[in-house]
Amino acid sequence: MSLRTTLGERLAYGAGNVPGTIVTAGAGFLMFFFTDVAALPAAAVGSFILAVKVWDACWDLWVGRWVDRHRGRHGQCRPFLFAGALLFPLAMSAVFWLPPVGAAGRLVWAVASYAALQMVFSVIMIPYQSLPVLQSDDEADRAQLAGSQALWTFVTVMVVNGATMALVGVLGQGDAVQGFWRTMSAWGLLGGVALLTATSLARERIAAAARAPRPLVPDLRTLLAHRSWQSLGAVKLLFTVGLSVQLGTAIYYAGTVMGSPALIGPLMLANALGLVAGVPLSLALLRRACPKRLSTAAFAGAAVASLGFLLVDPARLPLVLVLNGAVGLMLGMSLPAFGPSIPNMVDHVELESGERLMGLSVATLNFAEKRSEEHTSELQSQSTISYAVFCLKKK
């Protein structure tokens, strides 16, 4: 008999992705804060972000291995999520706080706080994305969990990107430093509460078997040599790169091809509405369709719709908006259908090797995806900022 989650668990699981989405959606605002508000040198900011990302790759593997080895009365993943819910508001508040010190001190604080935020991000996201392996063994149920996650993600991106600059103005009352700190502290608190709620309602039904500790290299060798990991890694990389390119080019398509930066907002909105609408449509189709076939069809549909921009006259705004919404719809449909892939892959590796490497699987697969998501959300945030600045100058 399959082990399935309840409706409340599925809704709560999606809410658990709110803090991770806040981090990725706030990436562009963070760069703007470092360079334009905190007045840190752009070259120094780029250098320390690169250094933190190199460290983050090693940290991800350590967290994934830690999750795989952990056994406790509160579960295998939930203790990490509880800790992350408490640390996340503090990390978000710290990275947007400007200490009253000189330029060198502000740079040191920026490096330390940004590294801490990325470490907390990994402590949250790796066990969070591993959790479906322990919650359910039913493919359709895992698709429902992925659908809930996708829906909460899209809504959070729209809210954070759409409201942040307005909140900075209202809460800062002309002081951008205080405005950013108060706004991002509020987003951090919201993310912590959402994750705490999701973790409290989650149940780990599938207990992990006790295993003797092994060195990291044999576990990595077992995982990376497995065909299912290789196939899934290639698909995830292609998908996230494609999503980044599709969302990022909206900036240049509106400004250069259509000749109006003011159309960045409508183009992004059309795409976002399509993403949100695609999730429930995918979940309805999954009642009868095979997840693998549906995700393949959705990926292909997004590619075909994207190629349509080569044939559409940029002056025909309604058609351009419909086409951009269609791309979002296809991408939104693909996520719930693709959602069970990681838990299924973990099960497959365990069946053949006897090793449940869920944390390590998520850590290795998410490395390229996390970088692409950060780039995508940074472009979205920059689009929002550019659109707001354009409108202000126009006035």
Side-chain angles (χ1 to χ4, degrees):
M1 181 178 178
S2 296
L3 299 174
R4 297 175 57 87
T5 59
T6 64
L7 176 61
E9 281 183 276
R10 291 193 290 272
L11 292 175
Y13 177 78
N17 200 42
V18 169
T21 307
I22 288 173
V23 172
T24 54
F29 296 109
L30 181 60
M31 290 296 297
F32 179 78
F33 175 79
F34 279 154
T35 57
D36 289 53
V37 179
L40 299 177
V45 172
S47 298
F48 81 66
I49 286 180
L50 177 62
V52 169
K53 288 181 178 180
V54 172
W55 157 248
D56 192 42
C58 302
W59 173 250
D60 277 1
L61 293 177
W62 193 84
V63 172
R65 186 165 172 77
W66 191 11
V67 170
D68 287 335
R69 287 186 170 190
H70 180 74
R71 302 292 184 274
R73 64 188 183 92
H74 296 295
Q76 190 171 354
C77 293
R78 293 172 73 242
F80 295 92
L81 298 176
F82 277 124
L86 300 177
L87 293 174
F88 181 70
L90 299 176
M92 278 294 294
S93 180
V95 80
F96 282 93
W97 180 62
L98 197 61
V101 294
R106 290 198 301 269
L107 183 60
V108 171
W109 178 261
V111 174
S113 59
Y114 180 73
L117 178 63
Q118 292 302 310
M119 292 173 70
V120 172
F121 180 80
S122 296
V123 168
I124 292 171
M125 294 309 298
I126 291 176
Y128 171 76
Q129 293 179 313
S130 301
L131 193 57
V133 178
L134 306 176
Q135 286 183 293
S136 174
D137 60 1
D138 183 84
E139 186 174 45
D141 193 43
R142 287 172 171 176
Q144 295 283 336
L145 289 170
S148 177
Q149 176 187 349
L151 192 59
W152 276 91
T153 297
F154 299 148
V155 172
T156 304
V157 167
M158 286 193 294
V159 171
V160 171
N161 281 347
T164 292
M165 294 305 292
L167 286 174
V168 168
V170 171
L171 298 179
Q173 294 294 307
D175 186 342
V177 173
Q178 289 299 313
F180 268 103
W181 179 67
R182 291 168 182 169
T183 299
M184 292 305 178
S185 296
W187 289 141
L189 183 60
L190 176 65
V193 171
L195 181 59
L196 188 63
T197 302
T199 308
S200 300
L201 295 177
R203 289 182 57 197
E204 296 185 9
R205 295 172 174 81
I206 305 172
R211 60 179 295 231
R214 293 202 314 172
L216 176 61
V217 173
D219 281 348
L220 278 174
R221 189 181 296 119
T222 297
L223 189 61
L224 301 184
H226 205 278
R227 184 172 299 178
S228 62
W229 184 94
Q230 296 169 359
S231 301
L232 187 58
V235 171
K236 283 177 70 67
L237 180 60
L238 289 173
F239 172 73
T240 51
V241 169
L243 182 62
S244 297
V245 171
Q246 195 276 326
L247 291 175
T249 52
I251 303 171
Y252 306 102
Y253 189 84
T256 303
V257 179
M258 301 182 76
S260 176
L263 294 176
I264 293 173
L267 280 177
M268 287 290 192
L269 179 60
N271 185 266
L273 292 175
L275 287 168
V276 173
V279 174
L281 178 59
S282 177
L283 293 176
L285 292 174
L286 282 172
R287 296 173 183 173
R288 296 184 178 181
C290 168
K292 185 183 296 185
R293 292 179 180 177
L294 181 58
S295 62
T296 301
F299 287 147
V304 171
S306 297
L307 291 174
F309 282 96
L310 300 176
L311 307 175
V312 172
D313 182 359
R316 301 179 65 181
L317 178 60
L319 189 55
V320 171
L321 293 176
V322 169
L323 193 59
N324 211 38
V327 175
L329 182 70
M330 292 293 104
L331 292 174
M333 288 178 60
S334 70
L335 292 178
F338 189 69
S341 299
I342 292 181
N344 292 349
M345 183 271 289
V346 172
D347 291 344
H348 192 198
V349 171
E350 183 179 11
L351 182 64
E352 293 192 357
S353 68
E355 300 290 340
R356 181 186 289 182
L357 304 174
M358 62 179 188
L360 200 58
S361 296
V362 171
T364 51
L365 287 171
N366 277 12
F367 177 68
E369 181 184 19
K370 188 161 65 174
R371 300 285 80 82
S372 297
E373 285 178 346
E374 288 177 354
H375 180 59
T376 298
S377 298
E378 180 179 341
L379 288 172
Q380 289 177 307
S381 299
Q382 288 171 346
S383 299
T384 306
I385 295 169
S386 300
Y387 181 53
V389 171
F390 175 82
C391 292
L392 289 173
K393 288 183 177 179
K394 191 174 180 180
K395 291 180 180 179

